[in-house]
């Protein structure tokens, strides 16, 4: 049986990476095969494109060119990483995917929705996520989390983190609007809570939407 494709979206510092690691651990305990990956990136060539975009080298080309670069990275990521994993029965947890292009380049970059739809169709070739979690929280909270983490690691802001607060507030609204347009695929999670509470909300939604992932897993035989 093919694996399920689950994506995580949201603004900066929403807690996607934190929750993906928690979900991976939980599913692993149930004996599920799980692959964690991210966008932009997730395959060697896509990681090269990631470094180029997040280094700010494509900013002067404008949102459409950036969208095309994200799409190029996504094609390689799907071909080399996501597609083979799903076909092999592994569940894929992906930190950002095509909805990031829809939100950042489409809504915030003012690219026509019809154009984003067509780009998505040719890029994904039917590989839509089975479920997408949007981790929703006030932009100020997410940015302050992201900055605290960067300060701890001695890192600077990347291409998108440099945008002002109104960009990030609009981004939040863009994601909520994208979720409203496709309620069967999206679950909006209140990410402005303790990590344990966010994890519980994600687990409850996953059990409801994709019970084959949470309930039908065979436990591996005890190693002891
Ligand atoms: N982008 C785009 O424009 N178009 C596209 O098509 C794609 C992407 C695919 C990739 O950035 C950038 O590319 C992104 C969009 C753009 N914009 N930016 N910047 P990235 O991959 O480097 O980073 P990110 O995706 O934005 O994630 P992030 O900022 O690293 O955050 P996160 O993964 O959501 O959060 P986290 O690392 O789990 O948590 C952040 C900190 O908060 C950390 O210290 C945690 O310990 C802490 N945390 C987590 N949860 C909590 C809770 N519940 N309470 C308190 N503190 C918490």
């Amino acid at each position: 049986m093919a694996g399920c494709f689950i994506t995580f979206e949201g603004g900066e510092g929403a807690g996607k990476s934190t929750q993906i690691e928690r979900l991976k651990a939980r599913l692993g305990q149930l004996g599920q095969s799980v692959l964690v990956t991210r966008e932009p990136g997730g395959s060697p060539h896509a990681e090269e494109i990631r470094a180029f975009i997040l280094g700010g080298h494509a900013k002067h080309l404008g949102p459409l060119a950036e969208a095309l670069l994200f799409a190029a990275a996504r094609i390689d990521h799907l071909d080399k990483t996501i597609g083979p994993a799903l076909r092999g029965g592994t569940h894929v947890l992906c930190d950002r995917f095509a909805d990031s292009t829809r939100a950042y380049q489409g809504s915030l970059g003012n690219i026509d929705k019809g154009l984003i739809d067509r780009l998505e169709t040719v890029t994904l070739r039917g590989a839509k996520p089975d479920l997408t979690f949007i981790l929703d929280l006030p932009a100020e909270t997410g940015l302050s989390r992201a900055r605290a983490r960067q300060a701890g690691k001695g890192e600077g802001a990347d291409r998108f983190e440099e945008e002002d607060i109104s960009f990030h507030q609009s981004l939040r609204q863009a994601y909520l609007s994208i979720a409203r347009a496709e309620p069967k695929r999206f679950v909006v999670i209140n990410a402005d809570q303790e990590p344990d509470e966010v994890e519980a909300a994600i687990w409850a939604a996953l059990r409801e939407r994709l019970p084959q992932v949470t309930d039908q897993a065979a436990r591996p035989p005890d190693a002891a």
Side-chain angles (χ1 to χ4, degrees):
M1 204 169 68
C4 286
F5 184 22
I6 302 165
T7 58
F8 289 73
E9 298 279 356
E12 321 309 312
K16 301 183 304 304
S17 317
T18 303
Q19 293 301 327
I20 286 171
E21 284 308 319
R22 284 173 174 238
L23 183 55
K24 180 189 175 191
R26 203 156 174 173
L27 292 175
Q29 282 168 3
L30 292 174
Q32 293 281 30
S33 171
V34 177
L35 174 80
V36 168
T37 186
R38 69 170 180 185
E39 287 212 349
S43 64
H45 290 312
E47 289 290 333
E48 288 173 18
I49 299 174
R50 175 189 176 93
F52 184 77
I53 304 173
L54 297 190
H57 305 298
K59 185 176 181 179
H60 67 283
L61 300 173
L64 179 56
E66 280 190 322
L68 294 173
L69 285 168
F70 281 115
R74 187 161 299 132
I75 287 169
D76 196 60
H77 187 204
L78 276 168
D79 289 349
K80 305 279 170 39
T81 306
I82 296 173
L86 293 175
R87 286 192 292 278
T90 292
H91 301 305
V92 174
L93 308 182
C94 189
D95 191 338
R96 297 194 180 281
F97 192 63
D99 298 301
S100 284
T101 303
R102 200 168 271 287
Y104 281 79
Q105 284 68 51
S107 298
L108 275 294
N110 288 315
I111 299 178
D112 174 66
K113 182 178 176 299
L115 186 50
I116 291 285
D117 288 345
R118 293 198 294 281
L119 180 62
E120 192 174 292
T121 301
V122 295
T123 305
L124 302 195
R125 294 155 286 158
K128 271 237 171 191
D130 296 296
L131 185 63
T132 297
F133 289 106
I134 292 188
L135 301 197
D136 176 62
L137 80 177
E140 295 83 352
T141 310
L143 281 176
S144 82
R145 282 186 196 170
R147 284 179 186 143
R149 187 201 48 203
Q150 280 155 6
K153 289 185 178 173
E155 294 172 351
D158 72 24
R159 151 81 182 86
F160 295 95
E161 287 156 357
E162 276 174 8
E163 299 283 355
D164 64 19
I165 186 70
S166 65
F167 176 96
H168 294 282
Q169 286 163 340
S170 302
L171 183 70
R172 181 185 190 191
Q173 297 311 318
Y175 269 122
L176 293 175
S177 157
I178 290 167
R180 278 194 296 273
E182 228 183 311
K184 278 194 173 163
R185 177 164 67 90
F186 286 100
V187 178
V188 178
I189 299 286
N190 173 13
D192 193 10
Q193 332 178 57
E194 290 302 312
D196 286 353
E197 294 173 296
V198 180
E199 179 184 336
I202 288 173
W203 188 255
L206 189 61
R207 287 193 80 162
E208 189 191 324
R209 300 286 187 106
L210 294 178
Q212 68 271 37
V213 176
T214 57
D215 294 348
Q216 290 180 7
R219 282 178 182 279
D222 279 350

